[in-house]
Amino acid sequence: MRIVFMGPPGAGKGTQATIIAQQLGIPHISTGDIFRANVSALTELGIAAKRYMDAGEYVPDTITNDMVRDRLEQNDAKQGFILDGYPRTVDQITELDTMLSVDDVKVDVVIELTAETNEVVKRLAKRALNQGRIDDTEDVIRRRLEVYAEQTAPLTAIYENREILKQVDGLGDVTEITNRILSALAVK
Ligand code: AMP
């Protein structure tokens, strides 16, 4: 199964994508995690991405698309994957289609985890305390939510038109949400 997870920062995409990927035996590919690993390792990619991430802005499409292409070319992604945090722009949606068309495959389902702003701000503030992520400060959180609302939320319409979008309520306890996602994926 080729699955895309969408939803605002703090909706629980990372937590749920990790669990679902493990249950389905497919890789969990989080662009945010890959960027953060590169920032920590001080790679060229990390150095290029860092200033955008620190400001809560999107890393430019060319950089992001190249990184995802490399990742999807690896063998473990050939039988399926969960993409978490990608695509986030129209250009990324188009590029992803192109990447998959090489193997004559498509995204099967897009899970949009929904959560209201007050709740995600609360969760992100808590994560800031626990994980100390540099982009979890109040100003940057606000900017990341704005960027999501402006640039990414409207894109769910593209997948809705393809009739592969499933909206899942991201409020509740972790197991409950996992079960909702499994139902939406029709694997439960
Ligand atoms: P995340 O962990 O998904 O919230 O991503 C953290 C940061 O990484 C984002 O605020 C962006 O700066 C960058 N990032 C992750 N995924 C993407 C993407 N698909 N396009 C552009 N930037 C991204």
Side-chain angles (χ1 to χ4, degrees):
M1 246 184 158
R2 294 171 183 85
I3 305 168
V4 165
F5 269 43
M6 296 181 86
K13 294 189 298 295
T15 305
Q16 291 298 334
T18 305
I19 299 169
I20 305 276
Q22 205 167 20
Q23 293 201 7
L24 299 182
I26 51 179
H28 167 211
I29 302 173
S30 156
T31 44
D33 285 352
I34 301 175
F35 278 134
R36 278 184 288 279
N38 276 277
V39 169
S40 298
L42 294 172
T43 66
E44 213 174 300
L45 175 68
I47 291 162
K50 186 177 183 333
R51 64 192 165 103
Y52 300 101
M53 297 173 73
D54 288 353
E57 305 291 339
Y58 287 166
V59 177
D61 285 331
T62 45
I63 299 178
T64 309
N65 288 332
D66 287 350
M67 179 180 89
V68 172
R69 189 176 305 103
D70 281 351
R71 181 64 189 87
L72 291 184
E73 277 170 3
Q74 291 174 29
N75 258 339
D76 66 336
K78 292 294 174 188
Q79 300 311 313
F81 51 75
I82 297 183
L83 271 174
D84 160 14
Y86 180 96
R88 271 161 137 126
T89 65
V90 176
D91 185 67
Q92 292 179 14
I93 290 185
T94 311
E95 274 301 309
L96 177 60
D97 289 341
T98 307
M99 288 173 213
L100 296 179
S101 70
V102 171
D103 294 324
D104 206 18
V105 294
K106 287 187 163 78
V107 171
D108 296 303
V109 49
V110 176
I111 299 289
E112 183 190 9
L113 266 186
T114 60
E116 50 158 34
T117 307
N118 284 343
E119 176 63 25
V120 297
V121 169
K122 224 164 45 190
R123 290 188 195 176
L124 291 169
K126 198 164 138 199
R127 187 172 75 185
L129 286 178
N130 296 340
Q131 298 179 9
R133 255 177 65 168
I134 196 148
D135 59 350
D136 275 342
T137 60
E138 198 179 324
D139 282 354
V140 182
I141 288 172
R142 220 177 289 283
R143 182 61 195 146
R144 285 163 58 219
L145 288 169
E146 259 173 33
V147 170
Y148 182 81
E150 284 164 11
Q151 299 191 41
T152 302
L155 303 185
T156 55
I158 295 175
Y159 288 124
E160 197 168 17
N161 285 336
R162 293 187 195 176
E163 298 181 352
I164 54 170
L165 182 74
K166 307 270 184 189
Q167 284 182 322
V168 173
D169 183 357
L171 275 194
D173 70 38
V174 172
T175 314
E176 198 180 319
I177 300 166
T178 303
N179 286 332
R180 283 180 206 147
I181 296 172
L182 291 171
S183 303
L185 293 172
V187 291
K188 190 163 186 268

